[in-house]
Amino acid sequence: MTFDHVDYRSLDVPAAPFSQPDRIPDFPKNKVPRHVGVIMDGNGRWAKKRGLVRTDGHQAAEPVVFDIIAGAIEAGVRYLSLYTFSTENWKRTPSEVRFLMGFSRDIIHRRVSQMNAWGVRVRWSGRRPRLWKSVINELEDAMEQTKNNKVIDVVFCINYGGRAEIADAASEIAKEIASGKIKGTRVTEKMIAEHLYNPDIPDCDLVIRTSGEQRTSNFLPWEAAYSELDFVPELFPDCGRDVLWRAIDDYVHRDRRFGGAK
Ligand code: IPE
Ligand code: IPE
Ligand code: MG
């Protein structure tokens, strides 16, 4: 879905380009997933199909990201985790990595006032070492500016790896055991959950991956252990809030058993 009449790049957009109320699907309120994760994949293939360079695909993804945030707000999603740059993405060419770092930094900078106007609380999940300092600075600035917003938490997963997150939690626990802050040596699931990057954020209910790939690529292995999965064929730059809504519509009909039995 595209909204050609909306200038997404404008810094002065006061409110979300929200849909007409009658267009927003009427999901049963108590069934909307509280926390949705999106693996935004397929930018490179989208560009290649058009004879463009991979970075053009990343650029084409920007309006889609904000359309999905607007759609998540409309649907009543409370937490939205966006897989933006993985700990494995450093394997790409130096020029693509440079582009992705600079582009992430610039998007956060350019869009923070828009997100603030929408009631978005900006969050970050990821590892500090190796991540560009300028990206961390923009994230920290955006998190500070939006810390009192309560419409939706949008978690940018940048230099995020699920195994790294669990290893980092384990290191913190080891330190606290060594210093005596934690008594004994028994590590519980609760302790690990409390030492993740954002322990206040509830488990992920629904993970959507675009571009047809059916894997989770190290995204939220702990938080999404019981998540519903939806693999959609569209390349990310071809997506929009309609893809999110379709996934939610499917999700509300699923039977989540969590190991129990009826
Ligand atoms: C997703 O698109 C964006 C990032 C991983 C940063 P890709 O760049 O992975 O695009 P494909 O999968 O090569 O098409
Ligand atoms: C996952 O996509 C990472 C992000 C979307 C940021 P990749 O394109 O890096 O994943 P693989 O390599 O296909 O598993
Ligand atoms: Mg990919």
Side-chain angles (χ1 to χ4, degrees):
M1 180 191 310
T2 52
F3 287 80
D4 293 333
H5 56 287
V6 177
D7 178 11
Y8 287 95
R9 279 157 211 272
S10 163
L11 276 174
D12 308 316
V13 182
F18 287 128
S19 312
Q20 296 301 319
D22 58 346
R23 278 203 56 247
I24 304 166
D26 195 13
F27 301 118
K29 280 283 162 285
N30 57 344
K31 288 223 162 163
V32 172
R34 193 154 54 137
H35 181 179
V36 176
V38 184
I39 303 174
M40 309 186 287
D41 197 19
N43 299 350
R45 277 163 284 166
W46 182 92
K48 193 169 178 215
K49 262 182 34 188
R50 285 165 178 73
L52 304 170
V53 291
R54 294 181 56 82
T55 51
D56 290 330
H58 300 316
Q59 259 168 327
E62 179 180 348
V64 177
V65 171
F66 288 86
D67 198 60
I68 287 175
I69 295 173
I73 293 170
E74 291 177 327
V77 171
R78 186 60 188 78
Y79 299 89
L80 180 68
S81 290
L82 301 173
Y83 206 5
T84 310
F85 189 93
S86 75
T87 47
E88 287 69 42
N89 288 146
W90 297 105
K91 290 179 194 159
R92 298 190 178 194
T93 62
S95 68
E96 185 172 351
V97 167
R98 236 183 352 260
F99 178 88
L100 286 168
M101 285 292 129
F103 193 50
S104 305
R105 174 198 62 212
D106 295 349
I107 288 180
I108 300 156
H109 184 80
R110 275 192 283 109
R111 297 281 188 163
V112 64
S113 56
Q114 183 183 33
M115 287 192 279
N116 207 5
W118 294 4
V120 171
R121 179 176 172 195
V122 175
R123 313 284 300 261
W124 167 47
S125 235
R127 232 185 205 171
R128 240 164 227 280
R130 216 168 166 186
L131 183 55
W132 281 18
K133 187 78 184 83
S134 59
V135 176
I136 297 176
N137 289 346
E138 289 300 342
L139 282 165
E140 285 180 340
D141 187 48
M143 289 191 285
E144 178 59 29
Q145 278 190 58
T146 62
K147 66 181 179 202
N148 296 319
N149 291 342
K150 294 190 169 57
V151 174
I152 189 170
D153 286 29
V154 174
V155 190
F156 291 94
C157 301
I158 306 183
N159 199 21
Y160 176 85
R163 288 180 172 181
E165 181 178 31
I166 294 169
D168 288 350
S171 301
E172 283 305 309
I173 293 168
K175 271 191 231 155
E176 290 177 20
I177 287 174
S179 73
K181 188 175 165 199
I182 293 175
K183 309 273 175 259
T185 54
R186 208 176 97 80
V187 176
T188 63
E189 289 185 22
K190 184 165 174 280
M191 270 182 212
I192 293 177
E194 284 169 356
H195 288 80
L196 298 175
Y197 295 133
N198 287 298
D200 64 297
I201 298 181
D203 278 352
C204 192
D205 300 299
L206 169 64
V207 171
I208 302 165
R209 183 176 189 142
T210 64
S211 87
E213 304 295 358
Q214 301 193 18
R215 56 178 171 267
T216 54
S217 303
N218 205 11
F219 185 53
L220 307 179
W222 185 277
E223 300 86 337
Y226 251 106
S227 179
E228 297 296 321
L229 307 177
D230 200 335
F231 300 103
V232 307
E234 290 92 341
L235 302 173
F236 188 73
D238 289 328
C239 292
R241 70 188 79 184
D242 53 328
V243 168
L244 172 75
W245 288 350
R246 224 198 304 131
I248 295 176
D249 197 35
D250 186 65
Y251 169 92
V252 300
H253 295 102
R254 292 195 192 185
D255 184 16
R256 300 185 77 192
R257 289 188 287 275
F258 297 100
K262 288 223 170 113

